């Protein structure tokens, strides 16, 4: 491949990655060297099932994409092998999945990332990973909204049962 085409291909890749950084609500950088093929496949499937894409990207491309997307502070984590988990929907999903996977597999190392447009330290990512997911929060809210209605239904049922017991006794 001629040198000009190689440079154009790399520039295109930088632009694509920069767009991923801009469009994502979170992007978590990890080192996944040492994971077996089966472990890597398991991780990618879990991420994909939650709307997260994981890409292994050269550090030079990541650095240029970080510059282009305005996340220059992120460049310090681009050392050694790097993969980035991009999520355009749920800012917590990548952190939660990667943290749990890293606890079970020593070969996965979380290096840093971006959450809701801000560069996040490892501590911040771990903090986000402990938050309940959107679905868990919605389920809790639904349960809280149903509780008063359920209590009224129980009270009405109890009154109806006591009246039927009174009618049977008479």
């Amino acid at each position: 491949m001629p040198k000009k085409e190689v440079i154009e291909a790399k520039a295109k890749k930088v632009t694509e990655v920069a767009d991923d950084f801009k469009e994502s609500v979170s992007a978590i950088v990890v080192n996944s060297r040492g994971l077996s093929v089966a472990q890597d496949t398991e991780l990618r499937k879990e991420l994909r099932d939650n709307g997260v894409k994981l890409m292994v990207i050269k550090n030079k491309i990541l650095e240029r994409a970080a510059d282009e997307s305005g996340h220059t502070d992120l460049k310090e984590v681009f050392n050694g092998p790097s993969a980035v988990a991009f999520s355009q929907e749920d800012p917590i999903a990548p952190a939660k999945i990667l943290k749990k996977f890293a606890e079970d597999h020593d070969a996965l190392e979380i290096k840093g990332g971006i959450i809701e447009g801000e560069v996040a330290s490892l501590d911040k990512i771990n903090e986000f990973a402990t938050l309940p997911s959107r679905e868990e929060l919605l389920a809790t809210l639904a349960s809280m909204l149903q509780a008063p209605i359920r209590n009224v239904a129980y009270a009405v049922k109890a009154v109806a049962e006591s009246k039927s017991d009174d009618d049977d006794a008479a």
Side-chain angles (χ1 to χ4, degrees):
M1 192 190 265
K3 188 174 184 175
K4 183 179 177 184
E5 289 179 19
V6 171
I7 292 172
E8 288 174 1
K10 286 182 180 180
K12 183 180 175 190
K13 184 67 174 175
V14 167
T15 302
E16 288 173 6
V17 174
D19 288 344
D20 282 338
F21 276 129
K22 290 175 191 173
E23 296 168 2
S24 297
V25 290
S26 68
I28 308 297
V29 182
V30 297
N31 175 355
S32 60
R33 182 191 296 173
L35 288 180
S36 69
V37 173
Q39 292 168 337
D40 186 61
T41 303
E42 175 188 346
L43 175 61
R44 285 176 184 271
K45 182 185 181 323
E46 188 171 351
L47 289 167
R48 192 173 39 252
D49 290 348
N50 286 280
V52 180
K53 73 176 178 181
L54 181 69
M55 298 171 52
V56 176
I57 306 169
K58 290 185 176 187
N59 289 333
K60 208 48 145 166
I61 290 174
L62 285 171
E63 289 173 6
R64 290 182 179 150
D67 284 337
E68 194 173 308
S69 64
H71 298 295
T72 54
D73 293 346
L74 192 62
K75 289 168 53 172
E76 66 187 43
V77 300
F78 302 140
N79 50 33
S82 297
V84 185
F86 293 103
S87 176
Q88 295 182 350
E89 299 166 9
D90 185 354
I92 297 171
K96 190 178 256 333
I97 294 166
L98 291 168
K99 182 176 183 339
K100 183 179 180 308
F101 202 86
E103 288 171 355
D104 297 337
H105 303 86
D106 293 336
L108 185 70
E109 172 197 0
I110 299 174
K111 301 198 286 186
I114 300 168
I115 298 178
E116 295 186 335
E118 299 293 321
V119 174
S121 66
L122 188 55
D123 291 337
K124 188 84 166 172
I125 291 169
N126 286 330
E127 184 179 320
F128 267 83
T130 61
L131 293 174
S133 69
R134 183 175 189 273
E135 289 75 24
E136 292 168 333
L137 290 173
L138 289 174
T140 302
L141 177 63
S143 175
M144 290 172 62
L145 292 174
Q146 286 178 345
I149 297 167
R150 192 174 331 134
N151 290 341
V152 169
Y154 287 143
V156 169
K157 182 180 177 188
V159 168
E161 287 176 355
S162 71
K163 287 210 181 238
S164 70
D165 289 344
D166 290 344
D167 292 340
D168 291 342

